[in-house]
Amino acid sequence: GMPMPANAIFRIASQSKAVTSVAVMMLHEEGKFLLDDPIAKYIPEFASSRVAVPAADRGAKGYATVPLKRPITIRDLLTHTAGISYGDGPAREEYVAANIRGWKLADQKVPLADVIRRLAGLPFDAQPGEKYVYGYNTDILGRLVEVASGLSLDEFVAKRIAGPLGMTDTHFFLPESKLDRFTPVYGVDDKGGLKLMEAAAENDYVKGPRMCFSGGAGLLSTAEDYARFLLMLARGGELDGVRLLGPKSVELMTADHAGALYGSQGFGLGFWILDRLGRNGLPGSVGAFGWGGAYHTTYWVDPAEKLVAVLMTQLMPAGSSDLHGKFR
C-alpha cells in the first residue's frame, strides 16, 4: 500500500547481462582480447571442460562426459551458445553438490573467481556453437572482465560504466544508506493475489556475504539509471559527452549472431534482436533489442523510433502476468 518513489531501487537480475556485455566490448576495443579467442586463454580451467551426453548403458548417472569438440570462445559466451546452463542439464546433481545452480550468486561466500573455477570443472549441456543454452555465460564474462582489467567486476562497473554515466544508484549490493528505497519482492499466489516473498531488509543484497559479483544477474538499479545506460547504447555508445563504446561495437552487439539457434528472433552480443518483423508477432522496428530479468523487469531499445523503454517491478513468481505484452 505504500507509494513507490521514482528512485526506487530494484533487483534487475538478468538485465545485468547487458552491463557486463558492454564491459566486455569496452575491453575488446582496448585490444585486451579478440571475440573469437578461447575463454581458456584467460581462464585456463576451461581448457579441460567436458560435455554431458546420454550414456549408452544408462549407468548410475545416466550420462557420460566427452571433451569439447572445439574451445569455448568469448563470442560463444556473449551469445549463450557455449552450451552452459544454470545447472538444469543432465549433470544437475553435480551442480547441486558443487553449490552452483540457478542464476542467483549473491549468497556465495567466495569471490567470483572461485565460483567460475568450480563451474569450469562441471559437465556442460551442449557442445560450443551447437545450441542456444541460457546460463552462466555472462558470469564467466564477468570473470573475464576482472582478469583483463585487473579490477574486480564491481570496481569496473562503478569506475568505467555507472560512474561516468551518472548511474548513482547502480550497485551489486545495497549501500545501507539506501535501504529506504529498496523494493520488496512479491509473488502471485494460488488464488491470483499478491504475496510478500522477500522483504526489502531481509535478503542477500542487504545482509549477504557481499563477496561474489554476478555479471549475469547480480546488479541493483533504478529505472532512471538503467534508462541512462540504454540511452548510451541507443546513441551509439555515447551519452552527455561520455563515450563508453564506438558506434561499430554497438552495431556488432545489436546484430544477430545466433541465427536459427535462438528461435523466434535474433540474438546479438547480450540481447534479443528484432531482425524481422512478424517473426514473433511483437510490434517494433527491425534493429530493436532488449532483454529482461527474473523479477519480471523488462526493457528494450528501438533506435528507429528513438525509443527506450524500461519497466521495473518485483514480481517472482509472476504467474500468468501479461504485463510485459501490455506495456509494449
Side-chain angles (χ1 to χ4, degrees):
M2 295 171 61
M4 180 180 287
N7 61 351
I9 299 172
F10 301 82
R11 305 154 189 78
I12 64 170
S14 286
Q15 291 187 199
S16 308
K17 289 179 170 66
V19 178
T20 303
S21 298
V22 164
V24 169
M25 296 305 292
M26 290 168 69
L27 292 166
H28 175 252
E29 284 191 347
E30 293 172 10
K32 300 293 188 183
F33 44 71
L34 297 174
L35 295 185
D36 286 324
D37 280 350
I39 188 63
K41 184 175 178 181
Y42 308 95
I43 309 174
E45 290 82 2
F46 284 93
S48 55
S49 292
R50 298 177 70 83
V51 174
V53 296
D57 60 3
R58 307 299 290 178
K61 288 183 177 179
Y63 66 88
T65 65
V66 298
L68 300 176
K69 293 179 182 178
R70 67 158 175 81
I72 295 169
T73 68
I74 294 169
R75 191 153 71 111
D76 291 330
L77 296 168
L78 283 163
T79 57
H80 291 273
T81 57
I84 302 170
S85 73
Y86 275 129
D88 291 318
R92 181 181 183 276
E93 291 182 5
E94 290 194 43
Y95 283 77
V96 172
N99 191 29
I100 303 176
R101 187 172 172 273
W103 51 267
K104 190 174 180 182
L105 300 180
D107 60 345
Q108 291 280 338
K109 298 177 181 179
V110 294
L112 177 63
D114 290 14
V115 175
I116 299 305
R117 195 176 299 117
R118 274 186 283 143
L119 175 65
L122 296 171
F124 299 147
D125 292 24
Q127 290 288 347
E130 294 187 0
K131 190 176 180 182
Y132 177 92
V133 183
Y134 192 61
Y136 291 113
N137 302 273
T138 318
D139 291 296
I140 299 167
L141 292 172
R143 178 56 187 155
L144 172 67
V145 170
E146 294 185 335
V147 172
S149 69
L151 300 171
S152 64
L153 185 59
D154 67 322
E155 288 175 327
F156 188 95
V157 170
K159 293 178 180 179
R160 300 287 308 275
I161 298 176
L165 289 181
M167 298 165 64
T168 56
D169 289 319
T170 298
H171 312 280
F172 279 99
F173 294 96
L174 189 75
E176 188 177 342
S177 61
K178 300 183 180 184
L179 182 58
D180 62 330
R181 291 192 281 129
F182 197 39
T183 44
V185 179
Y186 288 85
V188 177
D189 63 23
D190 296 338
K191 299 178 181 179
L194 287 179
K195 178 183 178 182
L196 180 66
M197 303 297 289
E198 184 177 282
E202 299 295 329
N203 55 79
D204 289 317
Y205 299 103
V206 175
K207 295 186 174 180
R210 297 178 179 252
M211 292 186 70
C212 185
F213 307 110
S214 167
L219 281 171
L220 314 172
S221 194
T222 63
E224 182 174 356
D225 271 16
Y226 206 80
R228 289 188 62 78
F229 172 75
L230 296 179
L231 284 166
M232 176 273 297
L233 290 171
R235 291 170 53 92
E238 178 271 335
L239 181 66
D240 294 342
V242 173
R243 179 166 293 282
L244 298 190
L245 288 173
K248 284 298 175 184
S249 290
V250 177
E251 284 182 31
L252 187 62
M253 292 182 77
T254 56
D256 178 29
H257 291 251
L261 294 180
Y262 186 58
S264 64
Q265 53 199 342
F267 197 88
L269 304 182
F271 341 84
W272 58 253
I273 308 295
L274 185 55
D275 61 338
R276 189 174 79 240
L277 277 181
R279 228 175 124 175
N280 58 14
L282 293 176
S285 309
V286 171
F289 58 94
W291 201 245
Y295 295 95
H296 210 49
T297 60
T298 193
Y299 73 87
W300 76 92
V301 176
D302 190 325
E305 294 294 331
K306 298 183 179 180
L307 172 70
V308 160
V310 180
L311 173 66
M312 295 295 203
T313 184
Q314 301 281 260
L315 188 65
M316 188 174 71
S320 58
S321 169
D322 58 3
L323 181 60
H324 287 188
K326 289 181 175 176
F327 175 63
R328 191 177 184 94

